[in-house]
Amino acid sequence: MDKKQILLAIESSCDETAAAIVQDDFTVISSVVSSQIALHAKYGGVVPGIASRQHVVAMNGVIKETLEKAKATPEELSAVAVTVGPGLPGSLATGISAAKALCLAWSKPFVAVNHLEGHLFSAELDGAKVEFPAIYLLVSGGHCMIVYAAERGKYKLLGTTRDDSVGEAYDKVARELGFEYPGGPIIDKLSLQGKDSYTLPRPMLEQGYDFSFSGLKSAVRREIDKGNIVKEDIATSFVVASMDVLSTKLRKAVKEYNPHSVIVVGGVSKSPILRSKLTDGSLGKVNVIFPSLKYSTDNAAMIGAAGWWQFKTNGASSDNIPMMPNLSLPLADRKVDDL
Ligand code: KG4
Ligand code: ZN
């Protein structure tokens, strides 16, 4: 049997310090995620200074642990891949510096990876097969976008949020209801116990593929300000409204682009409600694919898969590449130097 190649991937764009060893066929050999959630919970959101400090604390331990779990040595690595953006500057800097230092010390190629593209590749880890053309729905704490890909890596951004991402709206509604960060999973669970009894808006429902979630979040706040709310019911009404928006836009994209697959990635794709809503047949005959739950939220395995693809199609990246906090998705006319 021919020996598979492996790379080390590092992710530190927000509040997860993560490292993984990934094979060139996207099989995950080891994946370690050190979450900072407990440090940020009481502040109601990620505090950038605390996040970068904790990445500095955790980084070496996470890298050592993933190498040990994979029983891999530095000599066996084909490259080191790392998220260079988008994300929090101080958080990104820690992972990028670690990756550049390891590449220098071990004489390995450096591979710069776009975090958003990492999420798109999360559905292809561990042997999952994706058929193109595909429509992606990326729903996370930082992003909400619909993307068309005629083939792997050739992206056309159909729509994105004009204000809050859907995960951010979940977290803010949770905070209004008195729950700690990140409240998305709590709201999702609570919504199973309530009734859709509040009338909430579906912003931009019929307007192309762009989203807006801040109006929905404000409408929830206005209901809360009236007093006497039933938390379960407000959670249900909010989740139903959000799901309506996401599924309506996806249906429109499927109709227009007729893809083989619909791929739903990012933290909010963990939601069992979203998973069942999008697999109830309402999208038509298309194959609906989700990453396994452990790869829905931020992790380095997805950076490893995107890194392999980047490395094999474009080669190593320049090691004087800076961090790119506002990086967007590479679009269909990507040039060799683009991510
Ligand atoms: O992908 P991710 O880890 O980070 C970003 O790249 O932003 O996503 C985190 C987001 C948070 O907003 C969190 O509340 C949300 O994903 N989330 C959920 C669920 N699990 C995580 N939202 C709804 N239902 C869930 N079960
Ligand atoms: Zn993410």
Side-chain angles (χ1 to χ4, degrees):
M1 208 171 70
D2 59 326
K3 195 160 166 9
K4 294 282 180 197
Q5 293 179 283
I6 53 169
L7 62 61
L8 167 68
I10 296 172
E11 153 66 34
S12 69
S13 64
C14 189
D15 59 342
E16 251 89 38
T17 317
I21 299 290
V22 181
Q23 274 182 189
D24 55 348
D25 62 356
F26 303 165
T27 301
V28 183
I29 307 300
S30 65
S31 173
V32 176
V33 180
S34 167
S35 174
Q36 305 179 359
I37 280 177
L39 294 175
H40 301 287
K42 64 176 174 196
Y43 300 104
V46 176
V47 183
I50 294 177
S52 28
R53 182 182 187 283
Q54 186 55 26
H55 285 306
V56 172
V57 171
M59 185 58 72
N60 279 16
V62 165
I63 293 172
K64 268 189 214 156
E65 190 181 337
T66 208
L67 282 166
E68 276 164 23
K69 279 193 167 155
K71 296 189 174 55
T73 60
E75 298 76 52
E76 292 171 289
L77 300 174
S78 298
V80 179
V82 65
T83 301
V84 296
L88 298 169
S91 291
L92 289 165
T94 311
I96 298 170
S97 304
K100 286 187 177 185
L102 292 174
C103 287
L104 190 65
W106 296 339
S107 301
K108 298 290 172 183
F110 172 78
V111 182
V113 178
N114 182 316
H115 180 82
L116 303 177
E117 193 163 32
H119 274 299
L120 304 190
F121 273 81
S122 65
E124 296 195 56
L125 291 167
D126 283 341
K129 287 279 163 282
V130 166
E131 280 191 311
F132 292 90
I135 294 281
Y136 292 96
L137 173 67
L138 166 57
V139 275
S140 70
H143 297 89
C144 183
M145 47 179 67
I146 297 195
V147 174
Y148 171 73
E151 55 188 273
R152 185 191 275 149
K154 296 262 186 239
Y155 308 117
K156 177 180 176 191
L157 181 64
L158 302 184
T160 185
T161 182
R162 302 262 178 105
D163 39 58
D164 291 351
S165 74
V166 63
E168 201 176 347
Y170 265 76
D171 294 338
K172 286 179 177 169
V173 164
R175 195 162 63 195
E176 295 285 342
L177 292 174
F179 300 115
E180 284 191 339
Y181 171 84
I186 302 169
I187 293 295
D188 202 50
K189 224 172 169 181
L190 198 63
S191 73
L192 292 170
Q193 299 158 26
K195 293 187 295 295
D196 179 17
S197 56
Y198 291 89
T199 307
L200 296 176
R202 271 81 170 142
M204 301 186 68
L205 193 64
E206 301 302 335
Q207 292 161 47
Y209 293 110
D210 275 355
F211 301 92
S212 163
F213 284 100
S214 99
L216 174 56
K217 172 202 67 190
S218 305
V220 170
R221 187 183 305 129
R222 280 194 295 278
E223 291 296 339
I224 294 172
D225 288 346
K226 287 183 200 163
N228 281 331
I229 48 132
V230 181
K231 283 188 181 184
E232 290 81 359
D233 292 355
I234 199 93
T236 308
S237 305
F238 167 77
V239 168
V240 169
S242 307
M243 297 296 145
D244 250 10
V245 174
L246 296 176
S247 58
T248 303
K249 305 260 174 187
L250 260 188
R251 255 196 319 276
K252 179 176 155 66
V254 168
K255 243 189 187 156
E256 186 174 345
Y257 289 89
N258 198 19
H260 280 300
S261 324
V262 166
I263 304 161
V264 187
V265 297
V268 183
S269 76
K270 260 191 165 167
S271 160
I273 303 169
L274 181 62
R275 287 184 178 225
S276 63
K277 172 100 185 160
L278 297 181
T279 47
D280 66 359
S282 58
L283 290 180
K285 280 207 158 50
V286 68
N287 194 13
V288 185
I289 302 168
F290 298 88
S292 92
L293 292 177
K294 58 181 181 285
Y295 303 133
S296 287
T297 39
D298 287 352
N299 64 87
M302 67 185 197
I303 302 303
W308 265 122
W309 188 83
Q310 168 81 6
F311 189 39
K312 284 186 177 181
T313 40
N314 293 335
S317 313
S318 155
D319 65 3
N320 62 13
I321 228 165
M323 62 182 156
M324 296 181 232
N326 300 315
L327 193 61
S328 55
L329 203 63
L331 300 179
D333 55 354
R334 116 165 47 200
K335 297 177 198 72
V336 174
D337 288 342
D338 292 345
L339 289 175

